[in-house]
Amino acid sequence: MTDKIKALKLKDPFGLDNIEVTELDDPGQPAAGEIRVRVKASSLNFHDYGVAAGFIPTEDGRIPMSDGAGVVEAVGEGVEEFAVGDPVVSTFFPYWQSGPAPVGDFKQTPGDGIDGYAREVVVRPAHFFTHQPKGYSHAESATLTTAGLTAWRALVVDGGIKPGNSVLVLGSGGVSVFACQLAKSLGATVFATSSSNDKLEKYKALGADHLINYKEDPEWGKTVRKLTDGRGVDHVIEVGGPGTLPQSINAVAIAGHIALIGVLTGSAGEVPTAKLMAKQARLQGLIVGSCDDQKDFVRALEANGVKPVIDKTFGLEELADAFRYEESGKHFGKICLAF
């Protein structure tokens, strides 16, 4: 066993040019209740980008990345859920095990409030991880922690989706693409928006039923209503925030559900409250999900065979380039790191 492992650190003043490749002492063997994991992959989220770029504050020297997938190398005393050789994937809120959300911040989120998975080995309490879905690669599993579980919670846990429901997904990031795939696997009709006709073709290949270019059609909320004979959609995966919310409220059905996930267009803005009230729609904010939600999600993936769409994979030391690619908005689905 080597005494040193490779890791990345974010250095003050933060920014993509200040991601430092470094070596850390090997964390050694797990104590009681802990497991040692050889990290094999991570995936990029907008949250990770915000931390690395410096507009979500963190501590100098923070190890980035919320998502980590790998193999158990050792288990501490009393750990029964995992054995040596098990493929595992991290959880976004390691102290939120079940029930309604007890957290409203990122103080215990890896890669933000605590050190993340941009390193070769971690020793962590066993409840920081769940099993990977059978037949998934490490990179595929690394997409589940944040983006995948967010889509699952929006549609299944909060949304209570049923076969025959309709779902609107906005843009082509990891959450939206995953939501399209999950919705189709659950027997729903999917409406997808993008500013790129090439990306809309990719949505079509995933089974999306209706495609809307929001640059060519800025009143896409009305278009969705027309396409549903005036009814609107049951679920909206709202990743834009204040800039897109008025159109999402236009698009949602009476008594429908808008899952408010992202703030890509800013952190505050005008909400047409009278229209939301008239629609009697539910606007639900959410951040990822619990450990139990993730276990349910993994079981569902093993049953439905859905695999995440990975656009491009980079090496650990290429994280800055991976973030620049994310920044460019060229990707469809997830960007991963494999090491």
Side-chain angles (χ1 to χ4, degrees):
M1 203 178 281
T2 54
D3 296 330
K4 294 283 181 188
I5 61 162
K6 197 185 290 173
L8 302 181
K9 285 189 171 182
L10 306 177
K11 302 299 287 179
D12 198 10
F14 300 103
L16 300 186
D17 295 328
N18 256 5
I19 300 173
E20 181 182 84
V21 182
T22 186
E23 286 194 329
L24 305 175
D25 289 334
D26 186 283
Q29 292 306 300
E34 294 183 334
I35 58 174
R36 174 187 167 97
V37 177
R38 172 78 47 180
V39 184
K40 298 286 191 179
S42 183
S43 83
L44 278 65
N45 300 290
F46 187 72
H47 183 90
D48 299 304
Y49 169 75
V51 175
F55 59 83
I56 296 175
T58 192
E59 285 171 33
D60 187 31
R62 172 67 69 234
I63 298 170
M65 308 310 287
S66 298
D67 300 352
V71 180
V72 176
E73 288 193 327
V75 298
E77 195 187 330
V79 174
E80 290 174 359
E81 198 177 337
F82 303 110
V84 173
D86 282 353
V88 294
V89 58
S90 62
T91 53
F92 189 87
F93 288 124
Y95 293 95
W96 177 14
Q97 290 296 297
S98 60
V103 278
D105 57 42
F106 301 107
K107 285 177 186 155
Q108 299 293 343
T109 296
D112 186 338
I114 60 174
D115 282 336
Y117 294 100
R119 50 179 154 172
E120 293 176 315
V121 178
V122 295
V123 173
R124 282 278 180 255
H127 64 79
F128 274 57
F129 290 89
T130 70
H131 291 278
Q132 292 183 16
K134 290 178 185 70
Y136 261 50
S137 70
H138 294 301
E140 286 168 340
S141 296
T143 70
L144 306 183
T145 302
T146 307
L149 187 56
T150 299
W152 171 260
R153 181 174 160 207
L155 289 173
V156 177
V157 183
D158 293 348
I161 189 173
K162 295 180 178 71
N165 277 181
S166 48
V167 177
L168 169 63
V169 298
L170 308 186
S172 55
V175 175
S176 299
V177 172
F178 230 128
C180 170
Q181 293 175 280
L182 286 172
K184 288 310 296 179
S185 79
L186 293 161
T189 300
V190 173
F191 296 73
T193 73
S194 174
S195 59
S196 154
N197 289 327
D198 287 346
K199 289 181 179 177
L200 289 173
E201 283 303 310
K202 289 179 179 172
Y203 261 130
K204 192 176 178 181
L206 289 178
D209 302 275
H210 301 279
L211 311 168
I212 300 169
N213 185 316
Y214 65 78
K215 273 211 171 127
E216 294 167 8
D217 182 3
E219 293 287 319
W220 46 266
K222 284 182 183 164
T223 303
V224 169
R225 277 229 311 285
K226 263 187 215 138
L227 290 167
T228 53
D229 298 326
R231 183 178 176 272
V233 291
D234 300 293
H235 307 273
V236 181
I237 304 301
E238 172 51 84
V239 297
T244 49
L245 191 54
Q247 290 300 324
S248 291
I249 292 170
N250 269 342
V252 78
I254 291 168
H257 163 235
I258 300 171
L260 185 62
I261 290 156
V263 289
L264 297 177
T265 62
S267 57
E270 286 187 22
V271 177
T273 45
K275 190 175 275 181
L276 183 63
M277 186 180 68
K279 281 275 176 99
Q280 301 185 64
R282 178 160 57 100
L283 177 62
Q284 165 106 36
L286 73 148
I287 306 170
V288 197
S290 70
C291 184
D292 277 1
D293 290 338
Q294 184 161 310
K295 289 175 183 174
D296 289 344
F297 178 38
V298 167
R299 277 193 290 273
L301 293 171
E302 289 178 345
N304 66 23
V306 167
K307 288 279 187 89
V309 176
I310 296 175
D311 182 285
K312 203 166 180 182
T313 303
F314 292 80
L316 177 62
E317 293 174 31
E318 300 173 306
L319 179 58
D321 290 337
F323 278 134
R324 287 188 188 100
Y325 181 60
E326 183 178 34
E327 219 172 27
S328 77
K330 289 177 186 159
H331 60 291
F332 181 87
K334 293 297 290 180
I335 304 162
C336 289
L337 300 180
F339 30 112

PDB file of all heavy atoms in Angstrom, residues 194 196-208 211 332:
ATOM      1  N   SER A 194     -34.896  22.704 -25.590  1.00  0.00           N
ATOM      2  CA  SER A 194     -33.466  23.009 -25.705  1.00  0.00           C
ATOM      3  C   SER A 194     -33.330  24.163 -26.688  1.00  0.00           C
ATOM      4  O   SER A 194     -34.239  24.429 -27.473  1.00  0.00           O
ATOM      5  CB  SER A 194     -32.682  21.789 -26.222  1.00  0.00           C
ATOM      6  OG  SER A 194     -31.331  22.122 -26.457  1.00  0.00           O
ATOM      7  N   SER A 196     -30.926  24.002 -28.808  1.00  0.00           N
ATOM      8  CA  SER A 196     -30.166  23.339 -29.873  1.00  0.00           C
ATOM      9  C   SER A 196     -30.993  22.231 -30.517  1.00  0.00           C
ATOM     10  O   SER A 196     -31.450  21.308 -29.838  1.00  0.00           O
ATOM     11  CB  SER A 196     -28.872  22.749 -29.279  1.00  0.00           C
ATOM     12  OG  SER A 196     -28.413  21.655 -30.030  1.00  0.00           O
ATOM     13  N   ASN A 197     -31.173  22.324 -31.828  1.00  0.00           N
ATOM     14  CA  ASN A 197     -31.929  21.282 -32.532  1.00  0.00           C
ATOM     15  C   ASN A 197     -31.190  19.945 -32.523  1.00  0.00           C
ATOM     16  O   ASN A 197     -31.817  18.887 -32.514  1.00  0.00           O
ATOM     17  CB  ASN A 197     -32.250  21.722 -33.965  1.00  0.00           C
ATOM     18  CG  ASN A 197     -33.303  22.837 -33.971  1.00  0.00           C
ATOM     19  OD1 ASN A 197     -34.192  22.875 -33.114  1.00  0.00           O
ATOM     20  ND2 ASN A 197     -33.200  23.766 -34.916  1.00  0.00           N
ATOM     21  N   ASP A 198     -29.856  19.996 -32.495  1.00  0.00           N
ATOM     22  CA  ASP A 198     -29.066  18.757 -32.389  1.00  0.00           C
ATOM     23  C   ASP A 198     -29.385  18.036 -31.081  1.00  0.00           C
ATOM     24  O   ASP A 198     -29.549  16.815 -31.043  1.00  0.00           O
ATOM     25  CB  ASP A 198     -27.560  19.058 -32.441  1.00  0.00           C
ATOM     26  CG  ASP A 198     -27.104  19.446 -33.841  1.00  0.00           C
ATOM     27  OD1 ASP A 198     -27.875  19.218 -34.788  1.00  0.00           O
ATOM     28  OD2 ASP A 198     -25.975  19.957 -33.973  1.00  0.00           O
ATOM     29  N   LYS A 199     -29.467  18.812 -29.989  1.00  0.00           N
ATOM     30  CA  LYS A 199     -29.778  18.206 -28.686  1.00  0.00           C
ATOM     31  C   LYS A 199     -31.212  17.684 -28.652  1.00  0.00           C
ATOM     32  O   LYS A 199     -31.487  16.659 -28.025  1.00  0.00           O
ATOM     33  CB  LYS A 199     -29.528  19.208 -27.559  1.00  0.00           C
ATOM     34  CG  LYS A 199     -28.044  19.478 -27.326  1.00  0.00           C
ATOM     35  CD  LYS A 199     -27.833  20.452 -26.190  1.00  0.00           C
ATOM     36  CE  LYS A 199     -26.353  20.699 -25.947  1.00  0.00           C
ATOM     37  NZ  LYS A 199     -26.146  21.692 -24.885  1.00  0.00           N
ATOM     38  N   LEU A 200     -32.105  18.383 -29.325  1.00  0.00           N
ATOM     39  CA  LEU A 200     -33.496  17.900 -29.389  1.00  0.00           C
ATOM     40  C   LEU A 200     -33.564  16.559 -30.117  1.00  0.00           C
ATOM     41  O   LEU A 200     -34.353  15.683 -29.742  1.00  0.00           O
ATOM     42  CB  LEU A 200     -34.396  18.942 -30.062  1.00  0.00           C
ATOM     43  CG  LEU A 200     -34.670  20.200 -29.221  1.00  0.00           C
ATOM     44  CD1 LEU A 200     -35.416  21.242 -30.044  1.00  0.00           C
ATOM     45  CD2 LEU A 200     -35.450  19.874 -27.948  1.00  0.00           C
ATOM     46  N   GLU A 201     -32.712  16.381 -31.133  1.00  0.00           N
ATOM     47  CA  GLU A 201     -32.645  15.078 -31.821  1.00  0.00           C
ATOM     48  C   GLU A 201     -32.181  13.985 -30.861  1.00  0.00           C
ATOM     49  O   GLU A 201     -32.648  12.844 -30.922  1.00  0.00           O
ATOM     50  CB  GLU A 201     -31.718  15.157 -33.044  1.00  0.00           C
ATOM     51  CG  GLU A 201     -32.348  15.845 -34.242  1.00  0.00           C
ATOM     52  CD  GLU A 201     -33.662  15.185 -34.691  1.00  0.00           C
ATOM     53  OE1 GLU A 201     -33.691  13.943 -34.867  1.00  0.00           O
ATOM     54  OE2 GLU A 201     -34.674  15.898 -34.852  1.00  0.00           O
ATOM     55  N   LYS A 202     -31.244  14.350 -29.963  1.00  0.00           N
ATOM     56  CA  LYS A 202     -30.772  13.369 -28.962  1.00  0.00           C
ATOM     57  C   LYS A 202     -31.900  13.024 -27.990  1.00  0.00           C
ATOM     58  O   LYS A 202     -32.049  11.865 -27.579  1.00  0.00           O
ATOM     59  CB  LYS A 202     -29.559  13.924 -28.208  1.00  0.00           C
ATOM     60  CG  LYS A 202     -28.311  13.982 -29.083  1.00  0.00           C
ATOM     61  CD  LYS A 202     -27.116  14.551 -28.347  1.00  0.00           C
ATOM     62  CE  LYS A 202     -25.899  14.559 -29.267  1.00  0.00           C
ATOM     63  NZ  LYS A 202     -24.753  15.259 -28.679  1.00  0.00           N
ATOM     64  N   TYR A 203     -32.693  14.019 -27.629  1.00  0.00           N
ATOM     65  CA  TYR A 203     -33.868  13.762 -26.791  1.00  0.00           C
ATOM     66  C   TYR A 203     -34.842  12.809 -27.498  1.00  0.00           C
ATOM     67  O   TYR A 203     -35.411  11.902 -26.886  1.00  0.00           O
ATOM     68  CB  TYR A 203     -34.582  15.069 -26.444  1.00  0.00           C
ATOM     69  CG  TYR A 203     -34.247  15.618 -25.077  1.00  0.00           C
ATOM     70  CD1 TYR A 203     -33.869  16.948 -24.896  1.00  0.00           C
ATOM     71  CD2 TYR A 203     -34.326  14.801 -23.948  1.00  0.00           C
ATOM     72  CE1 TYR A 203     -33.569  17.449 -23.632  1.00  0.00           C
ATOM     73  CE2 TYR A 203     -34.039  15.299 -22.682  1.00  0.00           C
ATOM     74  CZ  TYR A 203     -33.661  16.611 -22.534  1.00  0.00           C
ATOM     75  OH  TYR A 203     -33.363  17.095 -21.276  1.00  0.00           O
ATOM     76  N   LYS A 204     -35.016  13.045 -28.797  1.00  0.00           N
ATOM     77  CA  LYS A 204     -35.918  12.194 -29.582  1.00  0.00           C
ATOM     78  C   LYS A 204     -35.455  10.738 -29.522  1.00  0.00           C
ATOM     79  O   LYS A 204     -36.251   9.811 -29.355  1.00  0.00           O
ATOM     80  CB  LYS A 204     -35.944  12.687 -31.034  1.00  0.00           C
ATOM     81  CG  LYS A 204     -37.048  12.092 -31.883  1.00  0.00           C
ATOM     82  CD  LYS A 204     -37.015  12.734 -33.268  1.00  0.00           C
ATOM     83  CE  LYS A 204     -38.066  12.147 -34.172  1.00  0.00           C
ATOM     84  NZ  LYS A 204     -37.990  12.784 -35.511  1.00  0.00           N
ATOM     85  N   ALA A 205     -34.135  10.547 -29.622  1.00  0.00           N
ATOM     86  CA  ALA A 205     -33.558   9.190 -29.565  1.00  0.00           C
ATOM     87  C   ALA A 205     -33.794   8.533 -28.199  1.00  0.00           C
ATOM     88  O   ALA A 205     -33.857   7.304 -28.100  1.00  0.00           O
ATOM     89  CB  ALA A 205     -32.063   9.241 -29.885  1.00  0.00           C
ATOM     90  N   LEU A 206     -33.945   9.353 -27.147  1.00  0.00           N
ATOM     91  CA  LEU A 206     -34.228   8.818 -25.807  1.00  0.00           C
ATOM     92  C   LEU A 206     -35.724   8.555 -25.595  1.00  0.00           C
ATOM     93  O   LEU A 206     -36.124   8.085 -24.537  1.00  0.00           O
ATOM     94  CB  LEU A 206     -33.740   9.793 -24.726  1.00  0.00           C
ATOM     95  CG  LEU A 206     -32.231   9.940 -24.523  1.00  0.00           C
ATOM     96  CD1 LEU A 206     -31.959  10.978 -23.452  1.00  0.00           C
ATOM     97  CD2 LEU A 206     -31.583   8.612 -24.153  1.00  0.00           C
ATOM     98  N   GLY A 207     -36.525   8.921 -26.594  1.00  0.00           N
ATOM     99  CA  GLY A 207     -37.955   8.641 -26.498  1.00  0.00           C
ATOM    100  C   GLY A 207     -38.828   9.839 -26.195  1.00  0.00           C
ATOM    101  O   GLY A 207     -40.045   9.689 -26.014  1.00  0.00           O
ATOM    102  N   ALA A 208     -38.227  11.053 -26.125  1.00  0.00           N
ATOM    103  CA  ALA A 208     -39.053  12.244 -25.874  1.00  0.00           C
ATOM    104  C   ALA A 208     -40.110  12.372 -26.974  1.00  0.00           C
ATOM    105  O   ALA A 208     -39.831  12.146 -28.150  1.00  0.00           O
ATOM    106  CB  ALA A 208     -38.181  13.490 -25.819  1.00  0.00           C
ATOM    107  N   LEU A 211     -40.803  17.956 -28.918  1.00  0.00           N
ATOM    108  CA  LEU A 211     -39.538  18.691 -28.850  1.00  0.00           C
ATOM    109  C   LEU A 211     -39.785  20.167 -29.143  1.00  0.00           C
ATOM    110  O   LEU A 211     -40.460  20.500 -30.117  1.00  0.00           O
ATOM    111  CB  LEU A 211     -38.547  18.120 -29.870  1.00  0.00           C
ATOM    112  CG  LEU A 211     -38.389  16.590 -29.849  1.00  0.00           C
ATOM    113  CD1 LEU A 211     -37.622  16.111 -31.066  1.00  0.00           C
ATOM    114  CD2 LEU A 211     -37.689  16.145 -28.568  1.00  0.00           C
ATOM    115  N   PHE A 332     -24.532  17.114 -23.501  1.00  0.00           N
ATOM    116  CA  PHE A 332     -25.888  16.580 -23.381  1.00  0.00           C
ATOM    117  C   PHE A 332     -25.806  15.438 -22.378  1.00  0.00           C
ATOM    118  O   PHE A 332     -25.163  14.420 -22.630  1.00  0.00           O
ATOM    119  CB  PHE A 332     -26.375  16.068 -24.744  1.00  0.00           C
ATOM    120  CG  PHE A 332     -27.779  15.511 -24.723  1.00  0.00           C
ATOM    121  CD1 PHE A 332     -28.869  16.342 -24.897  1.00  0.00           C
ATOM    122  CD2 PHE A 332     -28.006  14.148 -24.516  1.00  0.00           C
ATOM    123  CE1 PHE A 332     -30.172  15.824 -24.874  1.00  0.00           C
ATOM    124  CE2 PHE A 332     -29.297  13.630 -24.490  1.00  0.00           C
ATOM    125  CZ  PHE A 332     -30.370  14.479 -24.665  1.00  0.00           C
TER     126      PHE A 332
END
